DNA sequence: GAATACATAGGGGATTACCCTGAATCCAAA
DNA sequence: TTTGGATTCAGGGTAATCCCCTATGTATTC
């Protein structure tokens, strides 16, 4: 194989406040001939400064940076540098960290106990436009996902009394911001009837006003999202 | 190590309409001394029949069973057999399949191209009360999760102007069903000031009334769920 | 220093929502 | 058949909202 071919080097920027860790990653990556560590940063702001001058394909970003934390850095980086992809690195396999940084556009999340092979695999996979997550991390997320589904299901069945067909219609129109008079016109019933339904809804759903009706309706998905 | 110790055998029931596949799994598992295949089913109803008479710790369940599909079987099994745990097996790495069967209580989801080691690992992990998912499956789920977040995030950034810190506070209290006067008291500001904020919120969020504010706040998760 | 956004506050008025009581009709279940 | 729930409607009143306007002090940004 000709090694003189101009390989598409993957430019990597490392951001972690622990120098030893930065060095460790770098020494792992220098063994790879198509990976090039172009910068090292030890806090959030310097990442942004670096990327103003130079480009990078992959940002290996510690989630728990001092000062400006990883989530903010990730957001800021992706807003200005559309070609840079972020792989979050963290000591902690915490669901809140993972979801929040993914929510801010990170393409991957790996733990600090990740081995050499996995790190390189993650970088290459993300470079190709895929995403990558450590096995433990995915397990964490899946659990969180399962729990949230389960608990939302419980809510729905426990505290909500039955609301009638007509009440549901009125409720849906309230959620859609119609006034009582408008609801009456649409359902071809009297203003007073709508007020009755609204009043019954307030007591059934234990709400104080329309704002509460809307909140409860959305929390428990009592209305069809049209 | 004494092999004569009465090991806690893990009782396994296999359910798949492809006999060859059932045999394949069984031959893999018979090599393990603490795994015991106690039954084989080739459709959904026979799984339920089997579990009426005998017990199983793990049900390896094909998602795409003929007649009664895997999701229904999973649901029915878990309702009656609280000690049985379900690992879904499928040829397809489809997000909809995965989320639906997880939603119905499955503890794991693995693909049919899964190797011997991974299958055994999945079984043991699930037996211990954990969950297990093939790497490809988790990637699929994460992508779906990210896409859904991204699309909701797009909404958030496109049609929603920035709301100020104070406006957000007022909005949160509106969602919590407080009246304008009560909000004023809590924030130690005038009734009229709260009305100003509310009015600004109405125009910024393009809502007609408080119901709309609540709906938009919840759709775009502008408020912290306390 | 000027422009801009934000938080604050007010007047006055129109509209709407909310509360209470009461009551008629219809329909399905006991 | 009677009971009960759902739906319908009404009067009268209080409270809250929404809308239009203006206005000031204070940051922040340009």
């Amino acid at each position: 194989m000709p090694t003189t071919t101009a390989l598409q080097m993957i430019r990597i920027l490392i951001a972690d406040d622990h120098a030893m860790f930065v060095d460790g990653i770098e020494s792992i990556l220098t063994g790879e001939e198509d990976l090039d560590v172009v910068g090292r940063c030890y806090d959030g702001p310097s990442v942004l400064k670096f990327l103003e001058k130079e480009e990078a394909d992959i940002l290996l970003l510690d989630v728990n940076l001092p000062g400006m934390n990883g989530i903010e850095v990730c957001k800021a980086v992706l807003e200005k540098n559309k070609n840079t992809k972020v792989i979050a690195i963290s000591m902690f396999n915490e669901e809140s960290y993972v979801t929040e940084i993914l929510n801010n556009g990170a393409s991957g999340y790996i733990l600090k106990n990740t081995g050499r092979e996995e790190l390189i695999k993650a970088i290459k996979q993300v470079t190709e436009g895929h995403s990558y997550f450590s096995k433990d991390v995915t397990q964490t997320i899946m659990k969180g996902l399962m729990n949230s589904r389960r608990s939302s299901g419980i809510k729905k069945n426990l505290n909500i009394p039955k609301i009638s067909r007509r009440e549901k219609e009125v409720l849906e129109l309230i959620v859609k911001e119609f006034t009582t008079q408008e609801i009456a016109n649409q359902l071809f019933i009297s203003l007073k009837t709508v007020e009755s339904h609204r009043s019954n809804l307030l007591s059934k759903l234990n709400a104080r006003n329309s704002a509460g009706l809307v909140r409860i309706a959305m929390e428990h998905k009592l209305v069809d999202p049209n």
Side-chain angles (χ1 to χ4, degrees), chain A:
Chain A
M1 283 231 289
T3 57
T4 51
T5 309
L7 276 175
Q8 197 66 18
M9 292 289 274
I10 302 175
R11 293 162 299 179
I12 297 171
L13 174 60
I14 307 174
D16 195 309
D17 57 318
H18 303 92
M20 195 177 288
F21 192 77
V22 175
D23 293 343
I25 292 184
E26 190 171 356
S27 71
I28 288 177
L29 298 184
T30 43
E32 293 293 305
E33 57 180 5
D34 52 348
L35 301 184
D36 184 18
V37 176
V38 295
R40 303 144 202 84
C41 299
Y42 302 97
D43 57 41
S46 54
V47 172
L48 302 180
K49 273 185 203 162
F50 181 92
L51 288 174
E52 281 175 8
K53 298 174 199 163
E54 297 184 46
E55 287 190 348
D57 301 305
I58 295 285
L59 169 59
L60 294 176
L61 177 64
D62 185 13
V63 178
N64 307 100
L65 280 180
M68 186 182 190
N69 73 23
I71 283 126
E72 296 169 42
V73 175
C74 177
K75 200 174 172 182
V77 165
L78 292 176
E79 272 174 11
K80 299 207 169 179
N81 306 77
K82 297 202 68 177
N83 295 324
T84 302
K85 301 199 164 145
V86 176
I87 299 177
I89 306 184
S90 174
M91 211 118 81
F92 310 108
N93 187 8
E94 292 280 340
E95 195 202 339
S96 56
Y97 287 158
V98 181
T99 51
E100 196 163 347
I101 201 155
L102 290 185
N103 217 346
N104 281 291
S107 299
Y109 193 110
I110 58 183
L111 298 179
K112 285 199 176 177
N113 60 9
T114 296
R116 173 196 164 83
E117 289 76 15
E118 194 175 346
L119 176 61
I120 292 166
K121 190 178 171 191
I123 291 172
K124 297 196 172 170
Q125 207 159 309
V126 168
T127 304
E128 287 166 11
H130 305 121
S131 51
Y132 189 93
F133 309 92
S134 289
K135 185 124 215 152
D136 292 340
V137 172
T138 44
Q139 300 280 335
T140 300
I141 296 294
M142 301 299 284
K143 269 179 202 162
L145 194 134
M146 292 169 78
N147 286 336
S148 70
R149 301 232 164 148
R150 205 171 297 146
S151 62
S152 70
I154 287 169
K155 254 189 200 169
K156 191 188 267 177
N157 294 337
L158 284 192
N159 7 357
I160 302 280
K162 294 160 198 162
I163 62 173
S164 70
R165 176 193 117 263
R166 205 54 158 173
E167 284 166 350
K168 189 185 170 191
E169 289 177 356
V170 171
L171 181 56
E172 285 179 348
L173 292 172
I174 291 174
V175 172
K176 289 182 183 169
E177 306 178 43
F178 292 107
T179 67
T180 308
Q181 185 60 62
E182 288 167 344
I183 295 170
N185 294 340
Q186 285 190 46
L187 298 181
F188 303 105
I189 56 180
S190 155
L191 177 86
K192 280 297 183 181
T193 307
V194 179
E195 282 192 338
S196 285
H197 292 314
R198 180 199 296 273
S199 175
N200 289 332
L201 283 167
L202 286 175
S203 70
K204 277 189 182 178
L205 300 182
N206 203 24
R208 296 179 63 196
N209 49 39
S210 291
L213 290 182
V214 174
R215 180 179 56 77
I216 294 165
M218 298 197 71
E219 275 178 355
H220 301 278
K221 295 180 182 169
L222 298 177
V223 295
D224 301 325
N226 296 324

